Amino acid sequence: MSLAGLQAIEAAHVLPTYARQPVELVRGAGTRVWDSDGNEYLDFMAGISVLNVGHCHPRVVEAVRDQAGRLTHATNLFYTEPAMRLAKRLAESSLGGKVFFCNSGAEANEAAIKLVRKAKPGGGIVVVHGAFHGRTYGALSATPQESKQAPFAPLVPGFTVVAPEPAALEAAVGEDTAAVLVEVVQGETGVHVMPDELLAAARAACDRAGAALVFDEIQTGMGRTGTLWAYEQVGVVPDALTTAKALGGGLPIGALVTGERLADVFAPGDHGSTFAGGPLVAAAANAAFDVLEDPALLASVRELGERLREGLRGLPGTSDVRGRGLMVAFEVAQDAPGLVRRALLEQRLILNATGPTTVRLLPPLIVAAGEIDDALARVGRVLAAAPVA
Ligand SMILES: *Cc1c(COP(=O)(O)O)cnc(C)c1O
């Protein structure tokens, strides 16, 4: 079917929740994807930081093929080895407690919200301006963005929004606070690194108030910032973290991981999900984990992140180049969505605009130095070409 045919079906039968690019993708390998006309693209969005291992990583493909031929689903009323193995790896690589599996980032945050509320009944949850925690009702209520929340009122009560400043956060946390929920680096709103002092203040305030500190590592986790978890670089350990996006190596899985303190809050029946932690996605996640926990890969993420930011700073037309590891954004003095469209169609480079003037780059973590330079050259050419009116 032609692209026009797909667009006609979308117009007639798909709820219009996405602004899609006019490209049909049919194949991917590593840092590359191909469209239905055979054009090859360099992918510096990685499915919004889902494909940290790259497209169709051989280890993930092999694990999925193997598991698909044996057992795809069992329900959580039985044991399966991939899920138990993944839980152990997630806990041992981070907070040492216990894991709840789910199917997406929003679901991971829903689980976290329920957990902290049960740990401190009736307690409030403090979130930070510019945060993004997902689009289901609890997660949306934790996402203080007017355009996303306003059409869907009334939201879940009990959320307080503070500026990302230590004093504001400390003032908002009190005896009736169940949790502070925060990203280590805000992703969806344009890669804003939360100051170390803010996260330290959150830790201190939570300790004082008997509240839980929860880090949303859905985008920052699984190596994106150059350590397996972003919190490892800030000297603050949360009571729980949420992960999803890259966890499944391209397949949908999310998880809530607790430390010791919150490990035994849930009892049977408190929460659940039919598909969660199924053997197929868990096998894929274990394969992705094998790739992403490699210290050499993580060192490369830190090094290439620097190379990417340095290169972007050197390009005429960029400002405020920022980020950590291979989670990077910059500002332009032109229409960013237009620039992203021209990068896609003219330079065959996949980027992502997170706002009217903000461009975000999230390459697969297996990217090579030469590909960073190639992407920089392509970005340079789009910036240099005048936008067509
Ligand atoms: C993507 C994202 C979510 C939501 O994940 P979904 O899988 O889309 O529900 C939540 N928090 C952060 C930080 C994210 O980047």
Side-chain angles (χ1 to χ4, degrees), residues 104-107 109 132-134 183 188 216 218-219 244-245:
S104 69
E107 285 184 29
N109 285 333
F132 180 80
H133 296 297
E183 294 151 274
E188 196 259 357
D216 177 341
I218 289 162
Q219 189 164 149
K245 287 198 165 81

Side-chain angles (χ1 to χ4, degrees), residues 10 224 336 360:
E10 181 190 40
R224 174 54 61 187
R360 176 173 56 172

Side-chain angles (χ1 to χ4, degrees), residues 159-199:
F159 289 84
T160 305
V161 187
V162 299
E165 292 154 13
L169 193 141
E170 272 168 13
V173 176
E175 286 310 310
D176 56 355
T177 303
V180 173
L181 172 61
V182 63
E183 294 151 274
V184 180
V185 181
Q186 290 182 346
E188 196 259 357
T189 47
V191 185
H192 300 288
V193 179
M194 291 294 101
D196 288 358
E197 309 79 65
L198 178 80
L199 302 175

Side-chain angles (χ1 to χ4, degrees), residues 349-364:
L349 173 67
I350 301 179
L351 303 170
N352 168 237
T354 61
T357 60
T358 308
V359 178
R360 176 173 56 172
L361 302 93
L362 300 162

Side-chain angles (χ1 to χ4, degrees), residues 185-233:
V185 181
Q186 290 182 346
E188 196 259 357
T189 47
V191 185
H192 300 288
V193 179
M194 291 294 101
D196 288 358
E197 309 79 65
L198 178 80
L199 302 175
R203 179 69 278 171
C206 286
D207 288 344
R208 215 166 33 242
L213 179 59
V214 182
F215 283 171
D216 177 341
E217 290 241 26
I218 289 162
Q219 189 164 149
T220 55
M222 297 310 287
R224 174 54 61 187
T225 69
T227 43
L228 190 59
W229 307 108
Y231 81 82
E232 295 171 53
Q233 292 174 60

